[in-house]
Amino acid sequence: MSRQIESVAVLGCGTMGSGIAAASAAAGCRVLMLDVTADAVEQALQAVDEGDRHLVRTGTFDADLALIADYDWVCEAIVEDVAVKQELFARVEPLRKDGSVISSNTSGIPLRDIAAGMPDRFQADVAITHFFNPVRVMKLFELVPGEQTTPDVIEAFAAFGANQLDKGVVHAKDTVNFIGNRIGCYFMLSGLHLAKPFLAAGMTQETIDAVLGKPVGLPPTGLYGLIDLIGLDVMDLVGKNLAVNLPDGDAGHAYTSFPDAEQRMLERGQLGRKSRALGGFGRVQKLDDGSKKKETFDLVAESWRDATAPDLDGVPADLGAVLFDDSPQGQLAWQVFGGTLRYAAGLVPEIADDIVNIDNAIRWGFNWAQGPFELLDTVGPDRVSAKIRAEGAEPPAMLQVLEDAGGPSFYRGGHYLGRDGAWHPVTP
Ligand code: NAD
């Protein structure tokens, strides 16, 4: 029997839940919004377009949980705490109608932990539906089945995500941080550490952000600007989760905690844009004459200074070419961005069955111009492998699969290279 999603009960209407509710209502779905207090739901309702509010019913967990019996999809988006999520799911499960599907929007708790001890019907109907913030803007929608989730459940979520919500569906596995955040957070956390020798040698944070921006196809926020957006507090939690859940031997273990200066920022509450006057790696000061001044928190001096222009002198303009440039900027790009490409190329099939899901997740979740494998194709995978070998290391798994398959690129003629060394059609 195929499943149809035409209505959604959203449990927890904070940042993510209100976005999921608003997007679903905008797609013409009936929506139920429940939260701990009526006030919280009323506030969340403001996120729904006025013209869609007739589709929305609101209530609280204590008074109105039984209403979920009338909805096709029960979508949990409450606090990131496994015990709290388990408790809510245990209350919800007996109330949910047969044939409905159920999901968690967790960013990092394994589905097997959330579902532990739940009945068979739950195990068959549950998945992780991982949206990115802000829900209505970000295209990425990661779907993660549990061990017993039936294929029609994933098909129903994929169809709803693509057709009703206009999302880019990515099929991920029940591994820590799924796809987008596994690679994106490796970039950020490894970047903070690997940038240190360059900072010590006098490279500015503005230059580091600029090198790790357009020259490699990333948004202008680069490294520090991106962490300022996300918040050091969130990155700290991500690091702690990685430390516990990364597989043994994963390169990410080296980067699960902050370098000293960043740790001191966290302890001071200097978390990023959310900290306003305290700032993060940068801040904007309002001057008495009404004008604004951009400042940078200098990580070496650990004090504020005026922002400076980045030094991109001589950095090649062609996408990714900086990776092979012999300048300090080129070395930085190779270590931080090249290191992230290497990391990604070692994660098939651990986090995804194929390179297409990885490329899509990174383009849609982090707004890179090209996903890691597309970018490798752009710069030449053979050049990357040669550079890795010149440093005395072995290229990661997918680069070796490509070599064995005779290269020269991961994509050719509408096909992609599989982990099995064969070429498979890229389906839209
Ligand atoms: P939020 O803090 O904005 O909202 C959390 C919601 O949980 C609120 O509605 C709150 O009332 C409710 N809540 C708090 N304590 C509760 C309890 N004891 N029982 C039931 N409900 C309770 O959080 P958010 O950013 O919307 O995150 C929600 C989920 O989505 C989390 O699992 C988070 O990891 C995940 N997520 C967040 C982001 C993001 O960027 N914010 C992105 C992807 C996934």
Side-chain angles (χ1 to χ4, degrees):
M1 185 191 77
S2 72
R3 317 266 188 130
Q4 285 286 334
I5 300 175
E6 286 168 359
S7 55
V8 186
V10 181
L11 311 181
C13 298
T15 307
M16 299 304 289
S18 61
I20 296 165
S24 302
C29 277
R30 275 192 309 116
V31 176
L32 175 65
M33 296 173 74
L34 298 182
D35 210 320
V36 180
T37 65
D39 278 357
V41 187
E42 275 317 302
Q43 205 191 329
L45 189 59
Q46 304 312 308
V48 178
D49 293 343
E50 250 180 284
D52 301 328
R53 288 189 197 157
H54 66 283
L55 293 165
V56 180
R57 222 176 143 173
T58 58
T60 63
F61 295 138
D62 283 344
D64 305 297
L65 202 56
L67 293 176
I68 64 161
D70 197 26
Y71 291 81
D72 299 331
W73 171 19
V74 179
C75 178
E76 172 274 313
I78 63 168
V79 276
E80 186 78 339
D81 179 319
V82 67
V84 179
K85 287 187 192 289
Q86 283 171 332
E87 192 189 68
L88 184 62
F89 279 126
R91 286 171 69 194
V92 162
E93 181 56 13
L95 301 171
R96 167 174 87 81
K97 68 178 173 185
D98 277 338
S100 63
V101 292
I102 186 159
S103 74
S104 172
N105 186 57
T106 177
S107 351
I109 304 173
L111 181 53
R112 57 184 175 280
D113 292 351
I114 293 173
M118 292 294 283
D120 287 349
R121 186 183 77 146
F122 183 89
Q123 306 280 355
D125 292 349
V126 73
I128 283 169
T129 50
H130 187 221
F131 289 89
F132 275 58
N133 184 25
V135 175
R136 289 184 74 174
V137 175
M138 298 303 290
K139 192 170 170 69
L140 180 56
F141 180 50
E142 290 182 326
L143 280 178
V144 182
E147 269 176 28
Q148 297 172 49
T149 311
T150 56
D152 60 338
V153 170
I154 297 300
E155 281 161 24
F157 282 132
F160 186 82
N163 304 333
Q164 305 302 310
L165 301 182
D166 200 24
K167 295 292 171 209
V169 176
V170 160
H171 294 279
K173 298 187 177 184
D174 197 13
T175 54
V176 60
N177 289 353
F178 318 122
I179 300 177
N181 284 340
R182 175 77 170 269
I183 296 168
C185 293
Y186 182 86
F187 166 74
M188 288 182 271
L189 288 169
S190 69
L192 290 181
H193 289 270
L194 295 170
K196 288 294 170 187
F198 295 92
L199 289 170
M203 192 181 283
T204 64
Q205 285 144 242
E206 288 87 342
T207 296
I208 291 172
D209 275 352
V211 171
L212 298 172
K214 197 170 176 204
V216 291
L218 267 58
T221 39
L223 172 66
Y224 299 108
L226 179 57
I227 300 175
D228 266 351
L229 258 183
I230 295 172
L232 269 89
D233 52 341
V234 174
M235 289 312 300
D236 179 54
L237 289 178
V238 167
K240 291 192 164 110
N241 187 31
L242 287 167
V244 175
N245 286 310
L246 277 176
D248 289 348
D250 189 281
H253 277 296
Y255 309 118
T256 57
S257 53
F258 286 145
D260 293 344
E262 284 83 348
Q263 180 62 28
R264 284 190 283 272
M265 287 173 63
L266 174 74
E267 284 160 13
R268 276 196 299 275
Q270 190 181 333
L271 307 177
R273 290 197 194 180
K274 65 179 84 168
S275 304
R276 296 178 194 247
L278 266 181
F281 296 109
R283 71 179 176 192
V284 178
Q285 292 282 75
K286 260 197 179 164
L287 301 181
D288 291 344
D289 64 2
S291 64
K292 290 178 178 171
K293 184 170 78 144
K294 270 190 173 174
E295 292 186 327
T296 297
F297 184 74
D298 188 299
L299 284 165
V300 176
E302 295 190 52
S303 60
W304 290 97
R305 60 164 171 75
D306 289 354
T308 56
D311 175 11
L312 287 184
D313 238 16
V315 169
D318 287 350
L319 182 61
V322 65
L323 289 168
F324 305 99
D325 195 53
D326 208 17
S327 61
Q329 291 94 326
Q331 290 167 26
L332 171 91
W334 171 250
Q335 289 194 22
V336 179
F337 186 71
T340 304
L341 295 180
R342 282 161 79 164
Y343 186 62
L347 292 175
V348 182
E350 182 195 328
I351 65 168
D353 283 332
D354 57 58
I355 62 172
V356 181
N357 278 296
I358 291 186
D359 280 341
N360 285 341
I362 296 298
R363 257 190 287 100
W364 293 334
F366 283 85
N367 292 327
W368 291 21
Q370 298 190 340
F373 295 94
E374 294 164 329
L375 201 284
L376 283 165
D377 278 0
T378 297
V379 299
D382 50 339
R383 288 179 78 196
V384 173
S385 289
K387 196 164 162 70
I388 293 171
R389 289 206 170 91
E391 292 177 346
E394 272 306 298
M398 279 313 293
L399 279 167
Q400 302 214 11
V401 173
L402 182 64
E403 274 180 13
D404 294 344
S409 56
F410 288 103
Y411 292 92
R412 64 174 198 205
H415 288 65
Y416 69 90
L417 179 66
R419 181 76 177 83
D420 56 2
W423 296 90
H424 304 267
V426 178
T427 47

